[in-house]
Amino acid sequence: MHAWLSRRLAWAASDLTAETFARALLSIDRFRDDHDGSALPWLLGIARNVLADTVRRDQIETRARERLGLPLDLAAEDGFIEVEERLSPRLALERQLDALPLGEREALQLRVIDELPYQALAARLDIQPAAARLRVSRALRRLAHTVSKEEV
């Protein structure tokens, strides 16, 4: 079975062989002995279906990678860092946080990350609680506006 699949799709032959036998075990009740005790024709039929499913899925995934600008050769690592930098929500958020005015960024960090109440946040920044609320609100509004722009 492995040799048959290797001749057709060498890079996936081991996985396809395993999948073929898994499907065979799951459908053993449908096996009909039409070849004097040999299950090979039945197994080859299952392997052919597994192979066709894999090729179909690979074609769909390749088209999706092309549309997303992802590398087509998944074995190569070149290009993944650039794609992650372009598509990663974490990295996009870090860039947007860095772009905030310092006062807003500090207020947002103290409120959201450090979870300080507004009274403590205001004391830490030496501003009024109303000003602290305003800074956090502005920072969140800027982030929501710029992140949604990047996603579009």
Side-chain angles (χ1 to χ4, degrees):
M1 192 58 50
H2 187 270
W4 187 86
L5 288 164
S6 289
R7 287 191 300 273
R8 283 146 183 86
L9 198 60
W11 64 269
S14 295
D15 290 338
L16 296 177
T17 302
E19 178 65 21
T20 297
F21 282 103
R23 286 190 191 182
L25 284 173
L26 291 172
S27 63
I28 193 79
D29 58 326
R30 293 192 310 242
F31 172 69
R32 288 190 328 260
D33 186 3
D34 295 336
H35 300 281
D36 297 324
S38 176
L40 184 61
W42 179 65
L43 288 170
L44 287 174
I46 294 171
R48 187 183 62 242
N49 291 334
V50 168
L51 179 63
D53 291 347
T54 299
V55 168
R56 194 174 317 113
R57 240 186 344 266
D58 186 55
Q59 290 170 342
I60 291 168
E61 290 171 3
T62 298
R63 285 193 301 270
R65 285 191 300 273
E66 285 174 342
R67 285 193 306 271
L68 293 171
L70 296 171
L72 298 181
D73 181 8
L74 295 180
E77 301 233 353
D78 297 344
F80 279 104
I81 292 172
E82 292 82 10
V83 169
E84 181 187 13
E85 287 175 358
R86 195 175 82 236
L87 299 177
S88 169
R90 179 185 55 81
L91 295 174
L93 183 58
E94 284 178 12
R95 283 192 301 272
Q96 295 309 318
L97 284 170
D98 289 343
L100 288 175
L102 181 60
E104 290 178 13
R105 187 170 59 242
E106 287 175 340
L108 187 63
Q109 180 176 349
L110 291 170
R111 178 68 181 138
V112 175
I113 297 171
D114 298 341
E115 298 180 347
L116 290 180
Y118 283 108
Q119 197 70 27
L121 187 157
R124 177 86 61 89
L125 295 178
D126 196 28
I127 57 176
Q128 295 297 315
R133 285 180 190 277
L134 185 60
R135 285 186 187 181
V136 170
S137 175
R138 283 183 182 157
L140 290 172
R141 198 168 37 248
R142 282 185 211 267
L143 286 177
H145 182 68
T146 55
V147 171
S148 65
K149 268 187 183 176
E150 282 190 1
E151 291 175 358
V152 174

Short mmCIF file of all heavy atoms in Angstrom, two decimals, residues 27-61:
data_model
loop_
_atom_site.label_atom_id
_atom_site.label_comp_id
_atom_site.label_asym_id
_atom_site.label_seq_id
_atom_site.Cartn_x
_atom_site.Cartn_y
_atom_site.Cartn_z
N SER A 27 -14.65 0.76 8.03
CA SER A 27 -15.68 0.25 7.11
C SER A 27 -15.54 -1.24 6.86
O SER A 27 -15.97 -1.73 5.82
CB SER A 27 -15.63 1.04 5.81
OG SER A 27 -14.39 0.85 5.17
N ILE A 28 -14.92 -1.96 7.78
CA ILE A 28 -14.67 -3.39 7.60
C ILE A 28 -15.97 -4.17 7.37
O ILE A 28 -15.98 -5.18 6.66
CB ILE A 28 -13.87 -3.97 8.79
CG1 ILE A 28 -13.32 -5.36 8.47
CG2 ILE A 28 -14.71 -4.01 10.04
CD1 ILE A 28 -12.10 -5.32 7.62
N ASP A 29 -17.07 -3.69 7.93
CA ASP A 29 -18.34 -4.39 7.76
C ASP A 29 -18.85 -4.34 6.32
O ASP A 29 -19.72 -5.12 5.94
CB ASP A 29 -19.39 -3.85 8.73
CG ASP A 29 -19.62 -2.36 8.57
OD1 ASP A 29 -18.67 -1.63 8.25
OD2 ASP A 29 -20.78 -1.92 8.76
N ARG A 30 -18.31 -3.45 5.49
CA ARG A 30 -18.73 -3.36 4.08
C ARG A 30 -17.82 -4.15 3.15
O ARG A 30 -18.03 -4.15 1.94
CB ARG A 30 -18.77 -1.89 3.66
CG ARG A 30 -19.86 -1.10 4.38
CD ARG A 30 -20.09 0.26 3.76
NE ARG A 30 -18.85 1.00 3.57
CZ ARG A 30 -18.56 2.15 4.16
NH1 ARG A 30 -19.43 2.72 4.97
NH2 ARG A 30 -17.42 2.76 3.93
N PHE A 31 -16.80 -4.79 3.70
CA PHE A 31 -15.88 -5.57 2.87
C PHE A 31 -16.58 -6.80 2.32
O PHE A 31 -17.25 -7.53 3.05
CB PHE A 31 -14.66 -5.98 3.69
CG PHE A 31 -13.75 -6.94 2.96
CD1 PHE A 31 -13.02 -6.53 1.87
CD2 PHE A 31 -13.65 -8.27 3.36
CE1 PHE A 31 -12.19 -7.41 1.19
CE2 PHE A 31 -12.83 -9.16 2.69
CZ PHE A 31 -12.09 -8.73 1.60
N ARG A 32 -16.44 -6.99 1.01
CA ARG A 32 -16.97 -8.20 0.36
C ARG A 32 -15.79 -8.94 -0.26
O ARG A 32 -15.02 -8.36 -1.03
CB ARG A 32 -17.98 -7.83 -0.73
CG ARG A 32 -19.28 -7.31 -0.18
CD ARG A 32 -20.35 -7.19 -1.28
NE ARG A 32 -19.83 -6.86 -2.61
CZ ARG A 32 -19.86 -5.63 -3.13
NH1 ARG A 32 -20.37 -4.63 -2.46
NH2 ARG A 32 -19.38 -5.42 -4.35
N ASP A 33 -15.68 -10.20 0.05
CA ASP A 33 -14.58 -11.01 -0.47
C ASP A 33 -14.91 -11.46 -1.89
O ASP A 33 -15.44 -12.54 -2.11
CB ASP A 33 -14.35 -12.21 0.45
CG ASP A 33 -13.11 -13.00 0.03
OD1 ASP A 33 -12.42 -12.58 -0.92
OD2 ASP A 33 -12.85 -14.04 0.66
N ASP A 34 -14.58 -10.59 -2.84
CA ASP A 34 -14.83 -10.90 -4.25
C ASP A 34 -13.58 -11.46 -4.95
O ASP A 34 -13.63 -11.77 -6.14
CB ASP A 34 -15.28 -9.64 -5.00
CG ASP A 34 -16.62 -9.12 -4.49
OD1 ASP A 34 -17.39 -9.92 -3.94
OD2 ASP A 34 -16.88 -7.91 -4.66
N HIS A 35 -12.45 -11.55 -4.23
CA HIS A 35 -11.18 -11.92 -4.87
C HIS A 35 -10.47 -13.03 -4.10
O HIS A 35 -9.28 -12.92 -3.79
CB HIS A 35 -10.28 -10.70 -5.03
CG HIS A 35 -10.90 -9.63 -5.87
ND1 HIS A 35 -10.93 -9.70 -7.24
CD2 HIS A 35 -11.55 -8.49 -5.54
CE1 HIS A 35 -11.55 -8.63 -7.73
NE2 HIS A 35 -11.95 -7.89 -6.71
N ASP A 36 -11.20 -14.05 -3.75
CA ASP A 36 -10.63 -15.25 -3.12
C ASP A 36 -9.76 -14.94 -1.90
O ASP A 36 -8.62 -15.38 -1.79
CB ASP A 36 -9.82 -16.07 -4.13
CG ASP A 36 -10.68 -16.58 -5.25
OD1 ASP A 36 -11.86 -16.93 -4.99
OD2 ASP A 36 -10.19 -16.61 -6.39
N GLY A 37 -10.27 -14.13 -0.99
CA GLY A 37 -9.58 -13.86 0.27
C GLY A 37 -8.62 -12.68 0.23
O GLY A 37 -8.03 -12.34 1.24
N SER A 38 -8.42 -12.04 -0.91
CA SER A 38 -7.51 -10.90 -1.00
C SER A 38 -8.28 -9.60 -0.77
O SER A 38 -9.27 -9.33 -1.46
CB SER A 38 -6.83 -10.85 -2.37
OG SER A 38 -6.04 -9.69 -2.47
N ALA A 39 -7.80 -8.83 0.16
CA ALA A 39 -8.40 -7.53 0.44
C ALA A 39 -7.71 -6.41 -0.36
O ALA A 39 -8.11 -5.26 -0.28
CB ALA A 39 -8.33 -7.21 1.93
N LEU A 40 -6.67 -6.76 -1.12
CA LEU A 40 -5.90 -5.74 -1.84
C LEU A 40 -6.74 -4.88 -2.77
O LEU A 40 -6.63 -3.65 -2.71
CB LEU A 40 -4.73 -6.38 -2.60
CG LEU A 40 -3.80 -5.39 -3.30
CD1 LEU A 40 -3.15 -4.45 -2.28
CD2 LEU A 40 -2.76 -6.12 -4.11
N PRO A 41 -7.60 -5.44 -3.61
CA PRO A 41 -8.40 -4.56 -4.48
C PRO A 41 -9.28 -3.60 -3.67
O PRO A 41 -9.42 -2.43 -4.04
CB PRO A 41 -9.25 -5.53 -5.29
CG PRO A 41 -8.50 -6.81 -5.27
CD PRO A 41 -7.82 -6.86 -3.93
N TRP A 42 -9.83 -4.08 -2.58
CA TRP A 42 -10.67 -3.23 -1.72
C TRP A 42 -9.83 -2.12 -1.10
O TRP A 42 -10.21 -0.95 -1.10
CB TRP A 42 -11.31 -4.12 -0.64
CG TRP A 42 -12.18 -3.40 0.34
CD1 TRP A 42 -13.33 -2.75 0.09
CD2 TRP A 42 -11.96 -3.30 1.75
NE1 TRP A 42 -13.86 -2.23 1.26
CE2 TRP A 42 -13.02 -2.57 2.29
CE3 TRP A 42 -10.96 -3.77 2.59
CZ2 TRP A 42 -13.12 -2.27 3.65
CZ3 TRP A 42 -11.05 -3.49 3.95
CH2 TRP A 42 -12.13 -2.75 4.45
N LEU A 43 -8.64 -2.48 -0.58
CA LEU A 43 -7.75 -1.49 0.01
C LEU A 43 -7.26 -0.47 -1.02
O LEU A 43 -7.14 0.72 -0.72
CB LEU A 43 -6.55 -2.17 0.68
CG LEU A 43 -6.86 -2.92 1.97
CD1 LEU A 43 -5.66 -3.75 2.41
CD2 LEU A 43 -7.27 -1.94 3.06
N LEU A 44 -6.98 -0.93 -2.22
CA LEU A 44 -6.54 0.00 -3.28
C LEU A 44 -7.66 0.97 -3.65
O LEU A 44 -7.39 2.14 -3.95
CB LEU A 44 -6.06 -0.76 -4.51
CG LEU A 44 -4.71 -1.46 -4.37
CD1 LEU A 44 -4.41 -2.31 -5.60
CD2 LEU A 44 -3.60 -0.45 -4.12
N GLY A 45 -8.89 0.51 -3.61
CA GLY A 45 -10.02 1.41 -3.86
C GLY A 45 -10.12 2.48 -2.78
O GLY A 45 -10.34 3.66 -3.07
N ILE A 46 -9.92 2.07 -1.54
CA ILE A 46 -9.93 3.04 -0.43
C ILE A 46 -8.76 4.00 -0.59
O ILE A 46 -8.92 5.22 -0.44
CB ILE A 46 -9.89 2.31 0.92
CG1 ILE A 46 -11.18 1.52 1.14
CG2 ILE A 46 -9.68 3.30 2.06
CD1 ILE A 46 -11.15 0.60 2.35
N ALA A 47 -7.58 3.46 -0.92
CA ALA A 47 -6.40 4.30 -1.09
C ALA A 47 -6.60 5.31 -2.22
O ALA A 47 -6.20 6.48 -2.11
CB ALA A 47 -5.17 3.43 -1.38
N ARG A 48 -7.24 4.88 -3.30
CA ARG A 48 -7.52 5.79 -4.42
C ARG A 48 -8.41 6.94 -3.95
O ARG A 48 -8.18 8.10 -4.29
CB ARG A 48 -8.17 5.01 -5.57
CG ARG A 48 -8.33 5.85 -6.83
CD ARG A 48 -9.04 5.10 -7.95
NE ARG A 48 -10.39 4.74 -7.53
CZ ARG A 48 -10.85 3.49 -7.41
NH1 ARG A 48 -10.08 2.47 -7.70
NH2 ARG A 48 -12.08 3.26 -7.02
N ASN A 49 -9.42 6.64 -3.13
CA ASN A 49 -10.31 7.69 -2.61
C ASN A 49 -9.58 8.62 -1.65
O ASN A 49 -9.76 9.84 -1.69
CB ASN A 49 -11.52 7.06 -1.92
CG ASN A 49 -12.45 6.38 -2.90
OD1 ASN A 49 -12.49 6.73 -4.07
ND2 ASN A 49 -13.19 5.40 -2.42
N VAL A 50 -8.74 8.05 -0.80
CA VAL A 50 -7.95 8.87 0.14
C VAL A 50 -7.03 9.79 -0.64
O VAL A 50 -6.91 10.99 -0.34
CB VAL A 50 -7.14 7.96 1.10
CG1 VAL A 50 -6.10 8.76 1.87
CG2 VAL A 50 -8.07 7.24 2.07
N LEU A 51 -6.38 9.26 -1.66
CA LEU A 51 -5.48 10.06 -2.50
C LEU A 51 -6.25 11.18 -3.20
O LEU A 51 -5.81 12.34 -3.20
CB LEU A 51 -4.79 9.16 -3.53
CG LEU A 51 -3.84 9.83 -4.50
CD1 LEU A 51 -2.66 10.46 -3.75
CD2 LEU A 51 -3.34 8.82 -5.52
N ALA A 52 -7.40 10.87 -3.76
CA ALA A 52 -8.20 11.89 -4.45
C ALA A 52 -8.63 12.99 -3.48
O ALA A 52 -8.58 14.18 -3.81
CB ALA A 52 -9.41 11.25 -5.11
N ASP A 53 -9.06 12.60 -2.28
CA ASP A 53 -9.44 13.60 -1.27
C ASP A 53 -8.27 14.50 -0.91
O ASP A 53 -8.42 15.72 -0.79
CB ASP A 53 -9.95 12.91 0.01
CG ASP A 53 -11.28 12.21 -0.18
OD1 ASP A 53 -11.95 12.44 -1.22
OD2 ASP A 53 -11.64 11.41 0.72
N THR A 54 -7.10 13.90 -0.76
CA THR A 54 -5.90 14.66 -0.39
C THR A 54 -5.51 15.64 -1.49
O THR A 54 -5.20 16.80 -1.22
CB THR A 54 -4.74 13.71 -0.08
OG1 THR A 54 -5.13 12.87 1.01
CG2 THR A 54 -3.48 14.46 0.28
N VAL A 55 -5.53 15.18 -2.72
CA VAL A 55 -5.17 16.06 -3.86
C VAL A 55 -6.17 17.21 -3.95
O VAL A 55 -5.77 18.37 -4.13
CB VAL A 55 -5.10 15.24 -5.17
CG1 VAL A 55 -5.02 16.16 -6.38
CG2 VAL A 55 -3.92 14.29 -5.12
N ARG A 56 -7.43 16.91 -3.80
CA ARG A 56 -8.47 17.95 -3.86
C ARG A 56 -8.25 18.99 -2.75
O ARG A 56 -8.28 20.19 -2.98
CB ARG A 56 -9.85 17.31 -3.74
CG ARG A 56 -11.00 18.20 -4.10
CD ARG A 56 -12.34 17.47 -4.10
NE ARG A 56 -12.27 16.14 -4.72
CZ ARG A 56 -12.43 14.97 -4.07
NH1 ARG A 56 -12.70 14.95 -2.80
NH2 ARG A 56 -12.33 13.82 -4.71
N ARG A 57 -8.02 18.51 -1.52
CA ARG A 57 -7.78 19.41 -0.39
C ARG A 57 -6.54 20.26 -0.61
O ARG A 57 -6.51 21.45 -0.32
CB ARG A 57 -7.64 18.59 0.90
CG ARG A 57 -8.65 18.91 1.93
CD ARG A 57 -8.45 18.24 3.28
NE ARG A 57 -7.55 17.12 3.35
CZ ARG A 57 -7.92 15.84 3.26
NH1 ARG A 57 -9.16 15.51 3.07
NH2 ARG A 57 -7.01 14.88 3.35
N ASP A 58 -5.48 19.64 -1.15
CA ASP A 58 -4.24 20.36 -1.40
C ASP A 58 -4.45 21.46 -2.43
O ASP A 58 -3.92 22.56 -2.29
CB ASP A 58 -3.15 19.40 -1.87
CG ASP A 58 -1.81 20.08 -2.00
OD1 ASP A 58 -1.36 20.69 -1.02
OD2 ASP A 58 -1.23 20.04 -3.12
N GLN A 59 -5.24 21.19 -3.45
CA GLN A 59 -5.53 22.21 -4.46
C GLN A 59 -6.29 23.38 -3.85
O GLN A 59 -6.00 24.55 -4.14
CB GLN A 59 -6.32 21.61 -5.62
CG GLN A 59 -5.52 20.67 -6.47
CD GLN A 59 -6.37 19.90 -7.47
OE1 GLN A 59 -7.58 19.80 -7.33
NE2 GLN A 59 -5.71 19.32 -8.47
N ILE A 60 -7.26 23.08 -3.00
CA ILE A 60 -8.03 24.14 -2.34
C ILE A 60 -7.13 24.96 -1.44
O ILE A 60 -7.16 26.19 -1.44
CB ILE A 60 -9.21 23.53 -1.55
CG1 ILE A 60 -10.24 22.95 -2.52
CG2 ILE A 60 -9.84 24.56 -0.63
CD1 ILE A 60 -11.28 22.07 -1.86
N GLU A 61 -6.28 24.28 -0.66
CA GLU A 61 -5.37 24.99 0.26
C GLU A 61 -4.35 25.82 -0.51
O GLU A 61 -4.01 26.93 -0.09
CB GLU A 61 -4.68 23.99 1.17
CG GLU A 61 -5.62 23.36 2.18
CD GLU A 61 -4.98 22.20 2.95
OE1 GLU A 61 -3.79 21.90 2.73
OE2 GLU A 61 -5.71 21.59 3.75
#
